[in-house]
Amino acid sequence: MENIYHLSQVPGYIPRILKAFPMTAEILALSLLFSLVIGTLVAAGALSSHRILGRISKGYISFMRGIPTLVLIFLLYLGLPQVMAALGVDLSGVSKTSYIIASLSLSTSANMAEMMRAAYLAVEKGQREAAYSVGMKGSSAFFRIIFPQAFGIAIPTLGNNIILLFKETSLAFTVGVIDILGKARAISSASYGSNRLEVYLAAGIIFWAVCALLEQLSKWAEKLYTKGRRQAAG
């Protein structure tokens, strides 16, 4: 028996799937926030002159960049409650969404840390030396001289990391979170998979459209920031 696909139905599924977009947006926003905070701390450790702290930070980056995000999700969602239960801590009240946010935050934080470290090192050493030579202290030199330049360098990579993070939010469905992909799966299951191609194609179009928008926003932010820096310098 041949499968009959009705691609004309794809546009009709898009609004239904978009009803789950707020959940995906929440996961993206919170994961981005936490990954930036963790990434900043890890990057500071990696750049530190303290040998042990530097090794721990670089080891964290290597581990988190090497382990698949899906494996990390299963470790936290399935493994962590068992470990904590053995220690007398009950995690049954923790929501599935929290595990997803924690997993994505930890996974993405390694990329954020490496982005920050690379951007900091990309700033010419002479810029720091010049700031110190005119009497600027460490924090003042960082925020007034180093950070503005490093941030401009990091914008394209930051945009790419946000796009990758958005795509990885699709893994939330693996633990039963009704995000974009989870909604698509639910719609497909309701018809016993007869519309599987159309539904997942609609979900793919949504992801593509949002990623394209994020890419344009990244380019716009980079252009705007560069223009602002030039005006300030002039």
Side-chain angles (χ1 to χ4, degrees):
M1 180 177 179
E2 295 184 357
N3 290 322
I4 300 176
Y5 302 114
H6 304 282
L7 298 183
S8 60
Q9 296 178 1
V10 171
Y13 287 119
I14 292 177
R16 294 174 62 184
I17 297 174
L18 279 175
K19 291 180 180 180
F21 184 78
M23 174 57 71
T24 295
E26 178 183 348
I27 294 173
L28 174 64
L30 292 176
S31 299
L32 177 60
L33 174 62
F34 292 137
S35 67
L36 285 172
V37 172
I38 299 171
T40 300
L41 296 175
V42 175
L47 292 168
S48 172
S49 58
H50 195 285
R51 182 177 300 178
I52 296 178
L53 182 59
R55 288 181 177 178
I56 293 175
S57 299
K58 291 176 182 178
Y60 174 89
I61 293 174
S62 177
F63 179 78
M64 287 300 173
R65 294 183 74 183
I67 186 172
T69 305
L70 184 58
V71 173
L72 186 59
I73 290 173
F74 288 152
L75 286 174
L76 292 185
Y77 180 68
L78 300 176
L80 184 60
Q82 296 183 22
V83 173
M84 298 307 293
L87 298 175
V89 179
D90 183 13
L91 296 182
S92 60
V94 178
S95 67
K96 296 176 181 179
T97 305
S98 297
Y99 285 109
I100 291 297
I101 292 172
S103 300
L104 294 181
S105 298
L106 292 173
S107 179
T108 306
S109 66
N111 291 331
M112 294 298 186
E114 190 63 14
M115 172 196 73
M116 296 175 191
R117 187 187 71 86
Y120 178 85
L121 294 176
V123 178
E124 294 183 7
K125 187 177 180 181
Q127 297 285 334
R128 295 189 286 272
E129 294 175 347
Y132 297 145
S133 67
V134 296
M136 284 189 181
K137 296 182 179 180
S139 59
S140 180
F142 176 79
F143 286 108
R144 296 183 60 182
I145 304 297
I146 301 172
F147 177 78
Q149 296 182 65
F151 182 74
I153 295 171
I155 288 178
T157 307
L158 176 60
N160 289 335
N161 285 341
I162 293 175
I163 291 173
L164 290 175
L165 176 58
F166 172 69
K167 290 165 65 176
E168 288 202 324
T169 61
S170 62
L171 295 174
F173 91 96
T174 58
V175 298
V177 175
I178 305 299
D179 64 329
I180 289 177
L181 198 57
K183 183 68 173 179
R185 185 184 184 186
I187 294 173
S188 177
S189 298
S191 63
Y192 302 100
S194 63
N195 58 354
R196 187 180 294 116
L197 175 67
E198 295 87 349
V199 170
Y200 286 119
L201 181 56
I205 291 173
I206 293 172
F207 273 100
W208 168 77
V210 175
C211 287
L213 176 60
L214 290 173
E215 182 180 5
Q216 291 303 315
L217 288 175
S218 176
K219 292 180 179 179
W220 175 77
E222 181 182 9
K223 182 178 180 180
L224 185 64
Y225 186 81
T226 302
K227 181 179 179 181
R229 290 278 298 166
R230 289 175 178 172
Q231 291 178 347

